[in-house]
Amino acid sequence: METIIIMAKVPVAGNVKTRLEPFLTSENCAELAECFLLDTVSKAKSLQKQLIIAYSPIEKLNELQKIVGNNQILIGQKGTNLGDKMFHAFQFAFSQNSTAVVMIGTDSPTFPSYFIERAFEHLKTADAVLGETEDGGFYLIGLRTLRKEIFENVEWSSPETFRQTFRNIRNLGLKLALLPTWFDVDFPNDLERLRKDLAENSIFAPQTFDWLKKNL
């Protein structure tokens, strides 16, 4: 069975997309984060795979259910850092009889769904797949073989994240495939790029496109 995991923060004002402040209010940041989440969920569901949303904070389950409903598995993120949280989410997915698991976030709402399909194709012969972001992180990681060492000694949310994760996978002797580079939306200047991209092709993130059109 093929499984998609979405790593997500529940969109609560003051807790999401804070690097977009003060260009946006904290309430606007939460609204935009909700759009990112909904577009990401829609993209994942279009591929008809088992879907898991690993969310934080765990006490906000009711708020998350109001946004995404109950047509997917919802699990609280567990661990002290992002690497731990990713490992435990993968561990849960593989415990559900998954043979290949692709994990994405919500900060790159416009990358095409066929990148996920391509990741699963790679995982038929590769042990791992990565999609790098322009800022040195990654927007996608897929695994056929789960090893905790993949997520150790990595500076998360830094320009070194992709390089160090890439190094860990290679040092384990695992076969790694790569996807095209994409961009995250973290800072105000990223919003203008996002707006222009969606003006040309809103189908990639329609909820986000509608919000931007109304608010920017």
Side-chain angles (χ1 to χ4, degrees):
M1 178 169 57
E2 295 178 336
T3 299
I4 299 170
I5 300 173
I6 297 173
M7 296 291 286
K9 288 183 179 179
V10 180
V12 177
N15 193 47
V16 289
K17 308 310 297 176
T18 53
R19 287 181 288 185
L20 294 175
E21 300 178 39
F23 182 76
L24 297 179
T25 66
S26 59
E27 289 77 15
N28 284 160
C29 289
E31 291 171 4
L32 185 60
E34 182 173 329
C35 292
F36 283 11
L37 174 59
L38 288 170
D39 283 328
T40 303
V41 169
S42 178
K43 175 164 48 184
K45 285 185 173 179
S46 73
L47 300 175
Q48 299 183 330
K49 314 287 186 187
Q50 174 172 261
L51 177 59
I52 297 168
I53 299 177
Y55 68 92
S56 71
I58 57 174
E59 65 271 15
K60 297 295 183 181
L61 175 59
N62 289 340
E63 288 88 337
L64 179 63
Q65 288 174 317
K66 289 175 185 176
I67 295 169
V68 302
N70 294 296
N71 295 321
Q72 60 276 307
I73 300 169
L74 303 176
I75 61 169
Q77 293 180 12
K78 185 172 74 170
T80 56
N81 60 44
L82 182 56
D84 288 341
K85 293 173 182 179
M86 295 171 71
F87 171 76
H88 286 299
F90 270 111
Q91 191 176 52
F92 175 83
F94 281 112
S95 77
Q96 304 299 300
N97 300 315
S98 300
T99 54
V101 182
V102 168
M103 175 183 284
I104 59 177
T106 62
D107 288 339
S108 300
T110 59
F111 81 83
S113 59
Y114 67 80
F115 283 12
I116 302 175
E117 293 178 310
R118 193 183 301 179
F120 281 116
E121 284 298 314
H122 282 309
L123 289 173
K124 291 177 180 177
T125 54
D127 300 301
V129 58
L130 284 173
E132 185 178 7
T133 53
E134 293 174 358
D135 61 3
F138 54 82
Y139 63 89
L140 181 152
I141 178 170
L143 297 175
R144 186 162 55 102
T145 301
L146 179 60
R147 297 283 297 273
K148 197 171 195 309
E149 296 94 329
I150 293 171
F151 305 98
E152 294 177 343
N153 301 310
V154 175
E155 298 171 64
W156 299 106
S157 304
S158 83
E160 299 300 314
T161 300
F162 174 85
R163 185 184 66 79
Q164 292 170 349
T165 307
F166 180 102
R167 174 205 62 199
N168 287 350
I169 293 170
R170 284 290 174 83
N171 285 348
L172 288 166
L174 302 177
K175 184 177 179 182
L176 174 63
L178 299 177
L179 294 172
T181 302
W182 209 255
F183 72 100
D184 272 349
V185 179
D186 291 321
F187 298 101
N189 60 313
D190 299 324
L191 285 176
E192 181 59 21
R193 180 176 181 181
L194 178 65
R195 189 184 64 78
K196 288 179 179 177
D197 280 5
L198 289 175
E200 295 176 5
N201 201 339
S202 63
I203 193 171
F204 288 142
Q207 298 266 5
T208 301
F209 173 71
D210 286 343
W211 190 90
L212 293 173
K213 190 167 59 173
K214 292 173 184 173
N215 292 278
L216 290 184

